Amino acid sequence: MSRYTKEELLTILAPVGQEHLLRFWEQLDDAQRDELGGQISSIRWSEVSQWIHDALHGGESTGIPFDKLVPAPYVPLKPQSGSESVGYSEAFATGERLLRQGKVAGFTVAGGQGTRLGYDGPKGTYCFSPVRNKALFQYFAEALLRNMAKYDCVIPWYIMTSPANHQATVEFFQANDFFGLDSANVRFFTQGQLPGFDQNGKAILEAPGRLALFANGHGGTLAALRDSGTLDDMEKRGVEYLAYWQVDNPLVSVCDPLFLGLHHLSGSEMSSRALIKRDPMEKLGHFCLLDGKLIIVEYSDMPSELLNKTDENGLLSFRAGSPAIHVISRQFIRNLTNGTLALKPHRALKKISYVDENGALVKPEAPNGIKLEFFIFDALPFAKSPLILEADRAEQFAAIKNPSGSDSPESCRHDLQERTAKWLEAAGVKVPRKADGALDCVIEISLKRAVSAADIAELVKAGEIPGELEAQSSFVLD
Ligand code: UTP
């Protein structure tokens, strides 16, 4: 006997016009009925119905009054005056103190599908590094190890997965002994899912007894942090700040003392790094102010007039783009998730496989359905004193999104080695370069050993790195 009856499920579905989900009920065995019943009863249908109604009837318009948008101010990467220098040094020291006191945790959102990369597995398990072919997760683990050693502290690491990649992610860490981290300080939790809908707002079945469910976007983070008990875990450990980064940017500074310190000292509830856009068409979300509130306007939503607008210095007016690197205060997440979450999902048109009236699977050739996704940056307008700090692109950002070209494994390896070369050269090491300036060697220094130019300088001083690297060879420090 199934745990669910058709009648009780109909009491959930009929009020929201989704009874069609039970059209194969009579043909299902008990296990299939259990699965479908479990899926149906786990969804908050009245909320979801409102979202899909808005997505279908809201029209193409974003609802953003573009004439009222102004560029959001940001804190420059380097101090502009002597007095600012003092402030930056204080902020850096504050960030280091927060780390030493164990008030910071790392947080990676790793629930995405990585469709563009076309890699069959959780994206964090993708191996990319120049010599050792390490996985993205290993890079972050080693950066955390270095920071923990440097600040003599524990930095717990929270990793958000999706139901589709959770198991494979956990098994990858287990098989690799957590890359030297204490497994007690690594906590995985899954984000929520939402049904896919057709153009009439009807939830889609991907099998006669199974709903098509999809991860609810990186904004699903907030509810998942609460529901998984991660916020409680932070509280128990005395962690106040989450350093948030995406799974596909191995250059990210996982715990940047300056960023943490500025966040703390400015009383910000959610802070962001900003990349200065290379050109108007670079696909980054834009930091904007709307009626004094900080929002991020997606690249695809921004009118071309604003994308190209320049200021009195000839710079792009809306030049601060988001690489999705944040510091978020625990209490802010608590407050945001205390009742019903105020965030609204965005809609995306996607190809969603479905079963036809005979129960046969149909794989559409063109987008036929709607997925709903929350975005983490929609929390920004709710944050008090949200701070934006410019990021150093060469030091902190090289994402792996595409199989080739820009934002690919190859471009990431290039940027990663250039960063290390820059740090080595600053420490007086001669790095072989070709006539056009390109590196004439391959370099991989584990982040366990060095996460900054200062770390490299120490290694050079200690004689662990020679004064000159050999041309056309590999230099590796594990
Ligand atoms: P992207 O927007 O790049 O999506 O995610 P993706 O799924 O990784 O890649 P594509 O678009 O299918 O090619 C940015 C970050 O947000 C996480 C991803 O894992 C990545 O770290 N993410 C995205 C989630 O954690 N959950 C989601 O539902 C979506």
Side-chain angles (χ1 to χ4, degrees):
M1 264 269 283
S2 167
R3 282 183 282 127
Y4 299 93
T5 63
K6 188 173 182 181
E7 290 64 38
E8 78 185 285
L9 291 174
L10 276 174
T11 62
I12 299 175
L13 295 174
V16 289
Q18 303 286 351
E19 311 91 301
H20 65 286
L21 294 175
L22 299 178
R23 66 189 190 277
F24 299 107
W25 187 259
E26 277 67 34
Q27 300 160 32
L28 303 180
D29 62 27
D30 285 344
Q32 290 167 323
R33 288 179 175 183
D34 278 352
E35 184 179 4
L36 183 61
Q39 286 184 322
I40 290 171
S41 39
S42 72
I43 292 164
R44 290 148 72 147
W45 286 98
S46 58
E47 208 172 36
V48 173
S49 298
Q50 187 60 50
W51 292 332
I52 192 65
H53 176 271
D54 293 350
L56 287 170
H57 303 286
E60 288 304 309
S61 158
T62 56
I64 301 169
F66 290 109
D67 54 330
K68 290 169 96 187
L69 281 190
V70 292
Y74 57 85
V75 177
L77 182 63
K78 302 268 182 249
Q80 311 289 299
S81 66
S83 64
E84 272 187 23
S85 273
V86 176
Y88 277 56
S89 303
E90 269 171 24
F92 193 91
T94 302
E96 289 197 309
R97 177 173 55 76
L98 295 170
L99 284 162
R100 266 190 214 100
Q101 292 174 336
K103 292 192 187 296
V104 180
F107 177 43
T108 309
V109 280
Q113 287 183 296
T115 332
R116 281 169 288 173
L117 184 61
Y119 166 68
D120 189 22
K123 209 173 183 182
T125 67
Y126 182 76
C127 296
F128 76 101
S129 80
V131 184
R132 295 293 191 223
N133 200 28
K134 290 178 187 172
L136 287 159
F137 279 136
Q138 183 164 1
Y139 256 67
F140 305 131
E142 294 188 349
L144 288 167
L145 282 167
R146 173 69 195 133
N147 279 288
M148 287 196 262
K150 198 191 282 195
Y151 297 112
D152 189 21
C153 67
V154 170
I155 303 174
W157 187 15
Y158 301 121
I159 299 172
M160 187 175 81
T161 61
S162 68
N165 71 17
H166 182 81
Q167 177 124 356
T169 303
V170 175
E171 284 171 0
F172 183 72
F173 274 80
Q174 287 165 343
N176 288 287
D177 246 343
F178 285 74
F179 305 104
L181 292 166
D182 180 347
S183 60
N185 297 325
V186 183
R187 186 183 168 105
F188 305 90
F189 62 94
T190 49
Q191 67 181 105
Q193 291 182 299
L194 286 170
F197 292 88
D198 69 15
Q199 306 282 354
N200 298 314
K202 300 287 180 196
I204 292 177
L205 285 176
E206 64 176 15
R210 198 165 59 242
L211 272 169
L213 291 177
F214 299 97
N216 60 358
H218 40 69
T221 299
L222 299 164
L225 281 165
R226 174 196 60 194
D227 298 342
S228 63
T230 306
L231 280 181
D232 297 334
D233 187 68
M234 287 172 72
E235 217 159 285
K236 223 167 47 209
R237 292 170 182 264
V239 169
E240 286 179 20
Y241 302 119
L242 269 189
Y244 171 109
W245 70 87
Q246 299 194 334
V247 75
D248 45 23
N249 175 22
L251 262 69
V252 70
S253 169
V254 295
C255 298
D256 184 340
L258 176 66
F259 190 30
L260 288 162
L262 285 171
H263 173 87
H264 176 84
L265 293 173
S266 64
S268 163
E269 289 186 317
M270 179 166 172
S271 298
S272 314
R273 296 309 291 254
L275 285 181
I276 303 309
K277 286 184 67 175
R278 276 197 279 237
D279 59 74
M281 298 308 154
E282 190 179 8
K283 291 184 176 148
L284 291 171
H286 303 80
F287 288 104
C288 303
L289 290 183
L290 177 62
D291 297 330
K293 290 266 176 218
L294 179 62
I295 62 168
I296 289 188
V297 178
E298 281 193 275
Y299 164 82
S300 49
D301 291 338
M302 201 77 165
S304 101
E305 188 197 323
L306 294 189
L307 285 175
N308 289 292
K309 194 173 169 201
T310 50
D311 65 12
E312 62 285 1
N313 299 315
L315 299 171
L316 289 176
S317 299
F318 292 91
R319 59 181 173 275
S322 173
I325 302 171
H326 303 283
V327 172
I328 314 175
S329 297
R330 185 191 76 216
Q331 193 52 46
F332 176 57
I333 305 171
R334 200 47 106 198
N335 297 345
L336 262 186
T337 55
N338 243 343
T340 312
L341 213 58
L343 304 196
K344 297 265 179 290
H346 298 241
R347 67 167 182 184
L349 277 180
K350 299 273 178 181
K351 287 190 245 177
I352 303 178
S353 300
Y354 61 95
V355 287
D356 65 14
E357 283 318 304
N358 303 316
L361 186 69
V362 181
K363 292 189 172 179
E365 300 275 306
N368 61 318
I370 295 171
K371 281 189 196 173
L372 298 172
E373 285 189 337
F374 295 99
F375 292 166
I376 185 70
F377 57 70
D378 284 339
L380 283 170
F382 299 98
K384 274 191 223 122
S385 316
L387 171 118
I388 304 171
L389 172 64
E390 182 183 347
D392 183 335
R393 185 188 288 266
E395 293 251 333
Q396 290 162 343
F397 186 71
I400 298 180
K401 298 275 183 200
N402 309 308
S404 58
S406 65
D407 292 341
S408 67
E410 198 186 334
S411 65
C412 179
R413 272 191 291 276
H414 170 271
D415 294 355
L416 185 59
Q417 292 180 90
E418 275 298 343
R419 180 177 76 171
T420 317
K422 195 175 107 189
W423 289 348
L424 288 166
E425 286 164 343
V429 175
K430 193 159 179 325
V431 177
R433 289 186 180 272
K434 298 180 194 153
D436 64 358
L439 286 178
D440 196 16
C441 61
V442 184
I443 313 172
E444 181 158 356
I445 296 180
S446 167
L447 294 182
K448 237 179 344 190
R449 311 296 300 275
V451 291
S452 63
D455 287 351
I456 292 277
E458 269 177 39
L459 291 170
V460 173
K461 216 160 116 194
E464 295 212 46
I465 298 174
E468 180 168 357
L469 304 191
E470 214 177 300
Q472 287 159 27
S473 66
S474 298
F475 177 76
V476 179
L477 192 63
D478 289 319

